[in-house]
Amino acid sequence: MSSKLFNIYANGLVCTDCDHSPFDAMVLVALSFFQEHRMLPCKGKPYSRPVDPSQLFAVQELTFTIDSKIEAAMQLAVSQRHKYTSDLDMLTQRFTGFGKSWLKAQQFHPDVFCQLALQLAYYRTYNRPGCTYETATTRKFYHGRTETMRSCTPEAVEWAQSMLNTSVPDAEKLQKLKHAAGTHMKLMGEAQNGLGCDRHLLGLYMLCLEQGLAIPELYQDPSWTKSGGSGNFVLSTSCTGYTACIGGVTPMCHHGYGAFYRIGDHEIQFFVSDWKSYPETNSRKFFNSIVQSMEDMKALMVRAPSHL
């Protein structure tokens, strides 16, 4: 069983709010892709159904018996949801300067481009690196779900620093960009093949809790938290694919951002979120920094194409 709430509007917009525990976002992306291809041929006209849905099954009301304990849990859930939703700020915005088509023409992987743009945007905004989670799918394995791709690499940080240094020549900036992109693709491939570290370390941590064993010192070291361990990634990111489906999540930590994106042929749409109660984060400001970063990256690639 899982909770899924679908809101379907007259203009064709479909929004869903669901529990992430039973399945990953790609399930909804696949569902949305199927719906899109069934709806587009209709061109706004009512969908012609081969069978009346009401004839497929009988709708039956479910009656729940609720005691005082369940009632109290429901009230707590409602209050907690209100607490978090009232503190959440988020936006979804399209960048229309270019998209997958132009990036493919430059032989630059669109997802890697977006991830490096996020690194540059964060460094530009806060003058420091931001530990980053990117979803790496492991669905090629039986019961596989995800692994963490830690995209804030030393190569990405070095490149971001060079982009903000006017004394660094374009050729050098572009070579650093290429090096950072190569590192990202290598690490993503390893994570997708089950060679990441985070799920392994999570498993060891959970075993210690279940068996009542002492928690290893690694998990109590400040560097573990600063690097994003135990749900402390400053940037929680994922590519929702190359369809019309865009989604997002709340930030992992109080001082962080959620930054999801979908990549179209001629646009890139972002979903950015932050907590209002943390004064140093601002979704609009961060999105503007992402846009500036992508425009700077394109300008660099156009100015010095021979070094790609």
Side-chain angles (χ1 to χ4, degrees):
M1 295 294 290
S2 62
S3 60
K4 291 181 284 291
L5 173 65
F6 288 91
N7 295 312
I8 304 174
Y9 299 89
N11 65 354
L13 178 66
V14 180
C15 300
T16 179
D17 180 10
C18 59
D19 181 5
H20 204 331
S21 302
F23 56 84
D24 298 314
M26 290 311 298
V27 175
L28 284 177
V29 171
L31 173 62
S32 300
F33 185 68
F34 173 79
Q35 291 174 323
E36 178 186 357
H37 280 260
R38 294 296 292 270
M39 293 170 61
L40 287 179
C42 299
K43 299 180 179 179
K45 298 179 181 179
Y47 176 62
S48 179
R49 304 181 182 90
V51 180
D52 186 347
S54 65
Q55 303 301 316
L56 296 177
F57 54 86
V59 177
Q60 181 180 358
E61 181 182 2
L62 298 178
T63 302
F64 295 91
T65 302
I66 301 175
D67 58 21
S68 58
K69 184 177 180 180
I70 295 177
E71 181 68 30
M74 291 171 59
Q75 292 299 323
L76 177 61
V78 169
S79 64
Q80 287 180 328
R81 180 178 178 84
H82 177 73
K83 172 185 175 182
Y84 288 117
T85 55
S86 61
D87 191 30
L88 181 64
D89 187 26
M90 59 185 181
L91 66 84
T92 175
Q93 195 80 35
R94 285 180 169 87
F95 168 77
T96 57
F98 54 88
K100 180 181 65 175
S101 296
W102 185 82
L103 290 168
K104 285 289 188 179
Q106 314 308 309
Q107 298 183 331
F108 207 108
H109 196 293
D111 177 65
V112 178
F113 183 92
C114 291
Q115 283 292 318
L116 291 174
L118 288 171
Q119 295 303 313
L120 178 56
Y122 191 85
Y123 205 101
R124 184 198 307 274
T125 305
Y126 297 101
N127 198 33
R128 63 177 184 269
C131 53
T132 306
Y133 165 93
E134 182 187 8
T135 305
T137 181
T138 55
R139 295 185 70 192
K140 66 171 64 176
F141 298 104
Y142 185 57
H143 286 168
R145 291 193 56 170
T146 65
E147 175 56 275
T148 297
M149 161 59 198
R150 291 173 170 252
S151 52
C152 184
T153 63
E155 292 82 359
V157 173
E158 185 178 350
W159 163 73
Q161 291 171 335
S162 75
M163 289 291 289
L164 301 174
N165 187 344
T166 56
S167 65
V168 178
D170 282 349
E172 183 178 342
K173 291 179 181 179
L174 204 55
Q175 284 300 318
K176 290 181 183 295
L177 172 60
K178 183 178 178 180
H179 188 37
T183 298
H184 187 100
M185 294 187 69
K186 175 178 179 293
L187 292 177
M188 176 59 82
E190 291 176 353
Q192 291 175 337
N193 284 316
L195 299 177
C197 66
D198 284 86
R199 299 299 178 265
H200 176 70
L201 291 172
L202 174 63
L204 293 177
Y205 180 76
M206 296 305 297
L207 280 173
C208 290
L209 292 180
E210 292 172 1
Q211 300 297 325
L213 303 175
I215 303 299
E217 293 183 5
L218 168 67
Y219 302 95
Q220 303 171 44
D221 192 285
S223 63
W224 170 250
T225 303
K226 290 180 180 179
S227 70
S230 298
N232 286 284
F233 287 100
V234 174
L235 294 179
S236 178
T237 76
S238 188
C239 175
T240 63
Y242 301 88
T243 73
C245 178
I246 180 68
V249 297
T250 62
M252 278 195 192
C253 53
H254 195 215
H255 58 286
Y257 289 98
F260 279 39
Y261 50 91
R262 71 165 186 89
I263 304 171
D265 288 339
H266 305 292
E267 66 175 17
I268 303 174
Q269 185 176 6
F270 283 87
F271 176 103
V272 184
S273 63
D274 75 289
W275 299 113
K276 299 175 185 176
S277 55
Y278 191 76
E280 295 183 22
T281 55
N282 183 292
S283 292
R284 172 61 60 180
K285 180 180 178 181
F286 188 56
F287 172 74
N288 291 339
S289 185
I290 296 171
V291 170
Q292 182 65 57
S293 297
M294 291 194 294
E295 291 176 342
D296 289 350
M297 291 168 71
K298 179 179 180 179
L300 174 66
M301 294 163 69
V302 170
R303 287 196 307 268
S306 61
H307 295 277
L308 270 175

